[in-house]
């Protein structure tokens, strides 16, 4: 699994390719729900495509985090995947950073 505690309040996830994304998102959601006090950065550098099922799970994770006052940040999103977010209108909902370091820095500056 590519889930690690980056800091006391940030979880970093190296997202696998489909079809494993769904299982990984379920695990991340459980961790975030149990902890209740963390931001999540998801690195999409290994992801080529995102299914509608995975989009739904990403939205649920974002809502869970937002309801607790925390953030979900994506990074290293491939152009094709970014296109999926744009076409579905989710690019305005999800926070997307260029790379892992920019995503982590943005969270640490606010925390």
């Amino acid at each position: 699994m590519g889930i690690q505690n980056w800091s006391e309040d940030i979880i970093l996830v190296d997202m696998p390719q489909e079809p494993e994304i769904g299982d990984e998102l379920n695990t991340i959601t459980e961790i975030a729900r149990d902890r209740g006090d963390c931001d999540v950065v998801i690195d999409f550098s290994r992801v080529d495509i995102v299914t509608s099922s995975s989009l739904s799970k990403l939205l649920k994770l974002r809502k869970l985090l937002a309801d607790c006052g925390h953030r979900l940040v994506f990074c290293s999103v491939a152009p094709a995947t970014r296109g999926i977010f744009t076409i579905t209108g989710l690019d305005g909902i999800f926070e997307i950073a260029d790379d892992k370091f920019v995503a982590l820095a943005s969270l640490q500056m606010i925390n």
Side-chain angles (χ1 to χ4, degrees), residues 68-84:
C68 296
H70 293 281
R71 292 168 52 199
L72 173 63
V73 182
F74 300 160
C75 64
S76 303
V77 179
T81 304
R82 193 178 285 253
I84 292 169

Side-chain angles (χ1 to χ4, degrees), residues 28-96:
I28 298 160
T29 301
E30 288 175 20
I31 292 169
R33 185 179 304 118
D34 291 346
R35 282 185 56 174
D37 67 343
C38 59
D39 296 311
V40 177
V41 172
I42 299 181
D43 184 342
F44 276 82
S45 59
R46 295 176 26 200
V47 177
D48 296 326
I49 190 157
V50 178
T51 65
S52 59
S53 173
S54 293
L55 288 175
S56 174
K57 290 177 183 184
L58 287 167
L59 286 166
K60 287 178 185 174
L61 176 60
R62 182 192 172 276
K63 180 171 179 4
L64 171 72
L65 293 170
D67 286 350
C68 296
H70 293 281
R71 292 168 52 199
L72 173 63
V73 182
F74 300 160
C75 64
S76 303
V77 179
T81 304
R82 193 178 285 253
I84 292 169
F85 293 145
T86 301
I87 289 170
T88 58
L90 297 175
D91 59 329
I93 293 174
F94 292 128
E95 188 175 346
I96 302 174

Side-chain angles (χ1 to χ4, degrees), residues 10-23:
I10 299 174
I11 297 173
L12 176 62
V13 182
D14 290 321
M15 189 62 68
Q17 292 187 5
E18 289 287 4
E20 290 86 19
I21 288 178
D23 290 339

